[in-house]
């Protein structure tokens, strides 16, 4: 796969090769990530202007956009400085004026001389009973009139680029459309009624009505599918490259697992049992496991993860569990310690803090195989860390692991199995986008004994009641999180800073009772504040959202979230899951600043009604859009230019099964359809995939 197919060359040529694009314009285009003609093809119009010709503007309901042939009449230059330059014009039945501010007489006299005929198009408004077209969008001699389409697409622009420039450049790019072989499965294409690729691209740039701009317009839907299919094909290729590297078979004996299960005070849920079986089967297979374990807050991921680690140990090897921060690594250690004691296996922690002799002793024990299970931060992946026989790597998905990192990670453990855990319930369409190369196990039941959390919605005007409630709870020995939205006061949003809330609560509840933790603190201070809360030294922890990740304080039974209306649903759900971990009844108070918008109220009510993270995530996706749900910037979710993940979720699932099917029947993509699919990957700049195929 040496390089880009020749038939795509014209689409990847320099922008200056297009009509009306010079070096300066090309620079402006680069600001909206348009660097080649193919980028223009995928920059779709978001609106359309009806520029069908009319004989007269008489009888139009103004204001309206009209396109009409006129005879140019008298020019009336501005009388005073800053006044308007007006030109009288007449169509077949009536007269109106063209109006220009800062109009230069010499230019206008040359462009539209008195007595000439012109096609003008623009917005007509009534002003003092007079119809006027201020700054027409188009003013053309009749022989050039065909330059204006009847329906003019409207594009997103950047400074230095006008609609006219954009339209011309797109038309010029369209004139180079190559005839490409079909990469979509013929049965699917027929069933959906989708046009050929070339026809689809032409159609989306020539909308004749607002309906043509909807995601379900056939041309748009086809191009959206192309995008999703190319993305899923990339993941499918990554998956087949991963699978081609033989893994190792780790057979569970059940010896250690049975010790843990018999020591548990309850039976695992069906969901946990199912996940453990799926993982054990993957580990026993000769291929490398690449599985995602998705579970809501409190669904019992720790037990499943530990059982998987035991499979590695039972098979004579080692397992490692990676966490993004030291606090979380310590928590995993605490969570796993009692289970490790039941099983009689050696569990150890390795973080960046381990230095000198201590570190060396741990490394030697690891290399000898005396440590069975290692919990650590990414310090685990430094050069000098070597395992005796690493068989399973578990990644706690708080640090987003993209496909590339997943591949690197597996290199470390000589072909070790990989299990990624995430506590964020992700709607299925997004899970496919982000983890399409992985198999997925879902924990969708809560273990017995977890009490439901009461959720209430209150206005900030009832602050004093909330504080009284806290005072009572503290006197009963309970603890509370108080979450504030932002640390530094920003002028834009009048948000109560965490600092102010901290001082206020300290004044009311007493010194030494209240702790503070926020993003701008040095890590050591943050750890100290967290530790004081974990040991129960402080009773109330005022925090920005830094606490949403994994902190476990079973004695904390109240969660107050200020300005809850500006948080995402998934984030609120995660925060709420920090309480309800102990024996006490827990409450979550969502405080909003009135007035609450309709949408804001709806979102908070979803939380009050449901504790099901998957349902909440689906609602969040519908209400806010994909980018926000997972914070696109850091999530590794690709930004699609045409596909709309909220409204076309079903297409993503089709794309995944189609891509996997094609890779199974034609792993080297050498059949006719396979070769067409390679062209699609080049067309959509999926270079990584292309590199993988050429390697594979």
């Amino acid at each position: 796969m040496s390089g880009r197919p020749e038939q795509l060359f014209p689409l990847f040529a320099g922008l200056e090769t297009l009509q009306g694009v010079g070096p300066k314009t090309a620079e402006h285009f680069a600001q909206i990530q348009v660097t080649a003609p193919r980028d223009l093809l995928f920059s779709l119009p978001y609106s359309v202007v009806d520029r069908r010709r009319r004989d007269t503007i008489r009888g139009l309901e103004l204001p309206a956009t009209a396109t009409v042939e006129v005879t140019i009449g008298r020019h009336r230059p501005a009388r005073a400085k800053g006044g308007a330059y007006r030109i009288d014009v007449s169509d077949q039945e009536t007269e109106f004026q063209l109006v220009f501010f800062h109009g230069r007489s010499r230019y206008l006299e040359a462009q539209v001389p008195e007595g000439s005929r012109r096609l003008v198009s623009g917005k007509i408004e009534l002003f003092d009973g007079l119809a006027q077209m201020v700054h027409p969008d188009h003013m053309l001699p009749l022989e050039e009139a065909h330059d204006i389409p009847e329906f003019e697409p409207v594009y997103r622009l950047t400074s230095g680029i006008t609609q006219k420039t954009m339209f011309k450049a797109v038309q010029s790019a369209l004139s180079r459309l190559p005839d490409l072989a079909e990469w979509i499965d013929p049965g699917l294409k027929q069933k959906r009624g989708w046009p050929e690729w070339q026809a689809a691209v032409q159609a989306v740039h020539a909308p004749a009505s607002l309906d043509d701009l909807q995601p379900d317009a056939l041309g748009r839907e086809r191009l959206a599918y192309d995008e999703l299919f190319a993305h899923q094909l990339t993941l499918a290729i990554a998956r087949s490259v991963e699978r081609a590297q033989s893994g190792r078979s780790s057979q569970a004996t059940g010896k250690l697992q049975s010790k843990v299960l018999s020591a548990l005070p309850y039976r695992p849920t069906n969901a946990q049992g199912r996940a453990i079986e799926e993982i054990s089967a993957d580990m026993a297979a000769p291929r490398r496991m690449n599985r995602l374990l998705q579970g809501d807050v409190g669904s019992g991921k720790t037990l499943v993860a530990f059982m998987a680690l035991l499979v590695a140990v039972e098979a004579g090897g080692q397992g490692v569990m990676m966490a993004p921060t030291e606090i979380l690594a310590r928590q995993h250690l605490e969570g796993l310690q009692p289970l490790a004691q039941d099983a009689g296996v050696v569990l150890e922690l390795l973080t960046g803090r381990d230095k000198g002799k201590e570190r060396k002793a741990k490394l030697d024990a690891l290399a000898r195989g005396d440590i069975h299970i290692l919990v650590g931060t990414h310090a685990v992946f430094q050069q000098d860390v070597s395992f005796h026989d690493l068989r399973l790597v578990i990644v706690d998905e708080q640090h987003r692991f993209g496909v590339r990192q997943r591949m690197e990670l597996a290199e470390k453990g000589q072909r070790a199995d990989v299990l990624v855990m995430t506590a964020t319930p992700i709607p299925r369409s997004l899970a496919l986008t982000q983890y399409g190369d992985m198999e997925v196990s879902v924990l969708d039941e809560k273990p017995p004994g977890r009490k439901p959390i009461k959720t209430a919605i209150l206005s900030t005007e009832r602050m004093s009641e909330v504080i009284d409630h806290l005072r009572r709870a503290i006197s009963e020995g309970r603890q509370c999180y108080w979450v504030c939205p932002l640390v530094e006061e920003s002028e834009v949003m009048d948000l109560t800073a965490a600092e102010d809330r901290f001082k206020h609560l300290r004044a009311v509840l007493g010194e030494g009772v209240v702790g503070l933790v926020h993003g701008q603190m040095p890590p050591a201070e943050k750890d100290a504040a967290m530790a004081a809360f974990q040991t129960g030294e402080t009773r109330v922890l005022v925090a920005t959202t830094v606490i949403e990740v994994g902190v476990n304080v079973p004695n904390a039974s109240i969660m107050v979230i200020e300005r809850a209306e500006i948080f995402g649903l998934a984030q609120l759900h995660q925060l709420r899951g920090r309480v309800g971990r102990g024996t006490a009844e827990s409450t979550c108070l969502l405080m909003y600043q009135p007035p609450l918008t309709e949408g804001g109220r709806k979102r908070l009510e979803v939380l009050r009604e449901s504790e099901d993270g998957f349902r909440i995530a689906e609602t969040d996706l519908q209400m806010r859009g994909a980018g926000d749900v997972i914070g696109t910037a850091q999530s590794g979710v690709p930004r699609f230019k045409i596909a709309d993940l909220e409204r076309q979720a079903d297409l993503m699932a089709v794309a995944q099964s189609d891509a996997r099917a094609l890779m199974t029947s034609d792993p080297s993509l050498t059949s006719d359809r396979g070769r067409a699919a390679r062209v699609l990957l080049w067309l959509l700049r999926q270079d990584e995939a292309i590199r993988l195929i050429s390697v594979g």
Side-chain angles (χ1 to χ4, degrees):
M1 185 106 191
S2 50
R4 187 180 289 137
E6 208 164 306
Q7 65 213 100
L8 296 182
F9 286 178
L11 296 184
F12 283 87
L15 277 182
E16 286 98 297
T17 57
L18 294 174
Q19 223 186 331
V21 180
K24 198 87 201 118
T25 311
E27 273 174 40
H28 291 308
F29 266 126
Q31 294 168 1
I32 44 175
Q33 279 75 58
V34 170
T35 56
R38 64 84 57 206
D39 302 326
L40 286 167
L41 300 179
F42 296 112
S43 305
L44 305 197
Y46 67 92
S47 183
V48 61
V49 181
D50 182 345
R51 298 216 188 264
R52 283 176 293 186
R53 320 288 186 257
R54 336 174 40 91
D55 296 334
T56 176
I57 67 160
R58 174 177 278 173
L60 263 183
E61 277 210 14
L62 302 185
T65 297
T67 307
V68 62
E69 219 177 282
V70 297
T71 304
I72 304 294
R74 193 168 141 209
H75 284 235
R76 309 165 178 267
R79 289 203 202 85
K81 200 170 165 50
Y85 187 112
R86 301 166 184 278
I87 302 176
D88 296 333
V89 298
S90 52
D91 63 26
Q92 288 189 12
E93 300 186 18
T94 182
E95 299 179 348
F96 59 99
Q97 282 185 337
L98 306 182
V99 180
F100 302 87
F101 294 98
H102 320 296
R104 304 196 303 284
S105 338
R106 196 174 292 145
Y107 170 78
L108 288 167
E109 278 160 15
Q111 281 292 312
V112 283
E114 199 165 321
S116 63
R117 304 273 294 154
R118 291 288 183 266
L119 184 74
V120 295
S121 184
K123 192 171 177 190
I124 297 199
E125 304 183 73
L126 271 185
F127 192 75
D128 282 346
L130 245 140
Q132 302 186 339
M133 189 182 283
V134 180
H135 293 275
D137 301 326
H138 299 279
M139 241 176 3
L140 297 173
L142 302 187
E143 58 277 11
E144 289 170 32
H146 57 81
D147 279 4
I148 312 180
E150 294 209 329
F151 294 96
E152 185 175 33
V154 184
Y155 294 95
R156 302 202 184 283
L157 304 172
T158 175
S159 62
I161 293 192
T162 61
Q163 285 295 347
K164 208 177 267 172
T165 312
M166 185 75 173
F167 180 73
K168 250 210 178 98
V170 169
Q171 292 303 314
S172 178
L174 285 170
S175 69
R176 307 183 170 187
L177 282 181
D179 203 0
L180 302 178
E182 186 55 79
W183 47 77
I184 295 181
D185 173 68
L188 173 66
K189 183 170 163 240
Q190 196 184 352
K191 187 175 129 200
R192 294 277 185 158
W194 288 332
E196 299 292 315
W197 178 74
Q198 212 179 351
V201 177
Q202 278 166 331
V204 296
H205 288 285
S209 70
L210 291 172
D211 287 345
D212 291 348
L213 303 165
Q214 296 307 312
D216 59 3
L218 290 175
R220 281 197 176 225
E221 195 175 75
R222 181 216 152 114
L223 296 181
Y225 184 76
D226 289 344
E227 212 173 11
L228 299 176
F229 179 61
H231 171 68
Q232 285 299 334
L233 196 53
T234 307
L235 291 173
I237 290 168
R239 177 170 174 257
S240 69
V241 169
E242 279 175 359
R243 293 188 142 201
Q245 305 169 334
S246 59
R248 312 179 44 200
S249 166
S250 300
Q251 297 276 357
T253 61
K255 221 156 78 196
L256 301 172
Q257 289 190 344
S258 57
K259 289 183 183 172
V260 175
L261 291 172
S262 60
L264 284 179
Y266 54 84
R267 284 192 41 233
T269 63
N270 294 335
Q272 283 175 313
R274 199 170 49 235
I276 293 168
E277 268 169 38
E278 290 168 344
I279 292 165
S280 304
D282 272 4
M283 290 179 71
R287 280 199 309 260
R288 277 186 35 219
M289 169 167 78
N290 189 21
R291 186 171 280 278
L292 174 70
L293 176 63
Q294 246 197 323
D296 207 344
V297 180
S299 58
K301 284 190 297 299
T302 307
L303 177 67
V304 175
F306 190 69
M307 287 303 194
L309 290 163
L310 287 183
V311 173
V313 181
E314 288 179 350
Q318 295 163 296
V320 63
M321 173 121 154
M322 277 178 64
T325 65
E326 203 155 316
I327 285 190
L328 287 171
R330 287 185 187 284
Q331 276 196 354
H332 280 312
L333 185 76
E334 282 161 28
L336 297 176
Q337 202 87 58
L339 299 171
Q341 274 160 357
D342 295 335
V345 296
V346 181
L347 180 68
E348 192 52 84
L349 177 73
L350 182 67
T351 69
R353 284 200 188 166
D354 291 307
K355 298 275 187 285
K357 274 193 194 146
E358 250 180 64
R359 179 178 166 90
K360 185 165 179 345
K362 282 185 186 176
L363 296 184
D364 291 347
L366 258 188
R368 283 195 308 270
D370 294 350
I371 294 172
H372 301 129
I373 296 174
L374 184 68
V375 175
T377 53
H378 37 247
V380 170
F381 285 100
Q382 281 155 356
Q383 291 299 272
D384 59 346
V385 181
S386 56
F387 291 83
H388 175 62
D389 178 10
L390 177 61
R391 286 170 176 255
L392 173 65
V393 178
I394 298 186
V395 181
D396 187 4
E397 238 291 322
Q398 302 298 353
H399 40 204
R400 302 279 181 197
F401 252 59
V403 177
R404 205 184 300 100
Q405 289 97 321
R406 297 204 275 271
M407 288 185 152
E408 278 167 15
L409 200 148
E411 314 291 88
K412 181 79 182 180
Q414 301 63 43
R415 312 186 308 252
D417 288 322
V418 178
L419 180 68
V420 176
M421 299 201 305
T422 171
T424 321
I426 308 168
R428 176 138 189 272
S429 57
L430 292 183
L432 289 179
T433 313
Q434 210 173 348
Y435 306 104
D437 60 320
M438 308 183 85
E439 309 307 320
V440 182
S441 296
V442 178
L443 297 180
D444 46 12
E445 300 167 52
K446 288 243 199 306
R450 285 213 48 147
K451 299 205 168 122
I453 301 168
K454 278 218 323 258
T455 302
I457 303 173
L458 302 165
S459 145
T460 41
E461 291 159 351
R462 297 170 60 185
M463 185 71 75
S464 54
E465 290 174 47
V466 173
I467 292 175
D468 289 340
H469 178 66
L470 271 194
R471 199 182 274 116
R472 279 199 304 282
I474 291 169
S475 66
E476 292 163 14
R478 292 164 51 190
Q479 285 175 276
C480 160
Y481 292 101
W482 187 298
V483 179
C484 302
L486 272 185
V487 180
E488 306 292 40
E489 283 272 83
S490 70
E491 281 88 24
V492 202
M493 300 178 79
D494 170 29
L495 298 177
T496 7
E499 310 261 347
D500 292 352
R501 180 57 63 222
F502 167 65
K503 289 177 191 140
H504 174 197
L505 290 175
R506 199 175 52 184
V508 196
L509 301 171
E511 292 281 334
V513 178
V514 189
L516 171 68
V517 48
H518 61 67
Q520 266 76 37
M521 277 179 161
E525 271 183 50
K526 211 184 284 185
D527 288 359
M530 291 298 317
F533 186 62
Q534 270 169 323
T535 57
E537 190 188 319
T538 51
R539 293 275 154 199
V540 178
L541 183 64
V542 175
T544 51
T545 53
V546 287
I547 62 150
E548 73 179 283
V549 183
V551 184
N552 192 12
V553 182
N555 190 40
S557 59
I558 300 171
M559 168 66 72
V560 179
I561 303 173
E562 250 184 277
R563 297 299 309 269
E565 76 277 10
I566 66 176
F567 286 94
L569 276 182
Q571 206 178 17
L572 289 170
H573 177 66
Q574 285 288 318
L575 287 167
R576 171 171 65 182
R578 299 287 126 233
V579 296
R581 293 170 168 240
T583 46
E585 291 284 331
S586 294
T587 36
C588 173
L589 303 176
L590 302 174
M591 300 191 73
Y592 65 88
Q593 187 153 340
L596 199 52
T597 63
E598 182 59 23
R601 192 179 54 86
K602 262 213 193 91
R603 289 197 10 238
L604 296 183
E605 282 172 356
V606 170
L607 279 163
R608 188 176 60 198
E609 255 66 296
S610 174
E611 269 195 77
D612 174 349
F614 288 94
R615 218 197 97 197
I616 289 167
E618 290 288 355
T619 312
D620 208 11
L621 179 62
Q622 287 153 13
M623 295 183 81
R624 281 199 309 163
D628 295 339
V629 173
I630 10 189
T632 309
Q634 43 92 44
S635 67
V637 169
R639 290 172 181 273
F640 294 115
K641 288 204 72 166
I642 297 172
D644 172 337
L645 277 184
E646 295 84 274
R647 295 155 75 179
Q648 297 179 314
D650 62 315
L651 285 183
M652 182 60 96
V654 178
Q656 187 192 46
S657 58
D658 194 12
R660 287 186 173 186
L662 177 61
M663 282 309 293
T664 308
S665 63
D666 180 16
S668 53
L669 295 184
T670 44
S671 66
D672 289 350
R673 187 176 162 215
R675 284 205 300 275
R678 286 177 179 236
V679 172
L680 169 69
L681 292 175
W682 278 109
L683 179 67
L684 293 187
R685 299 188 192 271
Q686 297 280 342
D687 304 3
E688 257 177 43
I690 295 158
R691 275 205 305 280
L692 286 168
I693 312 182
S694 40
V695 173

